[in-house]
Amino acid sequence: MLANRDGFNKMDDEYFAPTYKSVMSLFEYLMAALAAALLCFCCTLIFYQSDGDIARLYKSRKNLLLAFLLVSEAAYHLAVPIDNIDRTLVGSFFRLLTLSAVEVLFLWYQWERCGIIVAASMSTETIQVFRVILWATTFTCFVPPFAIWAPILVQRLIQIAVGISVVILEVFFSVVSIRIITRKTKEVIDSVRESTSTSNTDSRLRHKSPEEEAEEQRDMYRLKLMELTATLYQNITATYGFAATRYSFLVLVFFCATAVTGSQMNPSPLFVKLYTVFVILHHFSILMAGAMLVQMKVKLGGAAQQAENMLMQNVQATSSLVV
């Protein structure tokens, strides 16, 4: 028989030996430790990229959202074994609250990070619609912790509402990311080559002085460097944002899978094993979604240098061909 008091399907103690529970608790503690390690790495990275300005951590909304997201992930992985051992409404409330925080912080971080991309690829009316959906989802996600005393049917309906709203936003972020990913950086590189070739030709026709040619080349270089850096920022944000969204979608899929396999009145050994696998995949996907966002920040930190290296290589290659 299942204990459904918190909206999560849980098999009774008779199906899980103490050794099994201990192993699963160790797994959750490992996930919490990894989330904490990601948090420490993220804070160190922010400190390094800001040249020792620790104020960047709390003055940037994106940095705050990412830091609190990783804190919530660690708290959730700690709450799960506590809830499994304690098996009270208080433990379930904390478990659901931390999971809701992870969902909301993830969605808001994606929205903040993808803001420029969204503004460049969507109409103002569309952005306003999804902003309303985002606020509605934020409210809906925090309803389950306070509905653990409600009837099971009410809890299920709330979970369905949360799932639908989250899926809508994940599809939105995925569509935006795919649009940007399909716009290759090659377009900017080609324009650099064309501009360099045109500039060299024009300077020959107009017989510019070496100083004028050098100044024109520097202006063109700075302009193209800004264009290429912006393009790389968008591509990195879209690529890793899409990867994080995929893991977020897997979180929802495996959550539903645990609900189905854990809802059996008299589960067979197969269902117990499937339930265990889905729980592990569910919690691992939560960790990986955060890891993709941290990886995005790492790549964004090196985007400017990468753009300069790419630009220098192509300018030098084009100049040698023209000469």
Side-chain angles (χ1 to χ4, degrees), residues 137 140-141 155-167:
T137 303
T140 307
C141 284
Q155 295 184 45
R156 293 293 181 267
L157 292 176
I158 293 173
Q159 290 176 6
I160 292 173
V162 171
I164 292 174
S165 57
V166 170
V167 166

Side-chain angles (χ1 to χ4, degrees), residues 264-296:
Q264 306 300 311
M265 297 300 295
N266 295 295
S268 64
L270 175 61
F271 271 93
V272 173
K273 292 178 182 178
L274 287 175
Y275 176 82
T276 303
V277 170
F278 290 141
V279 167
I280 292 174
L281 292 176
H282 172 243
H283 295 170
F284 180 75
S285 298
I286 292 176
L287 180 69
M288 288 303 299
M292 289 297 103
L293 298 181
V294 174
Q295 181 70 5
M296 178 199 298

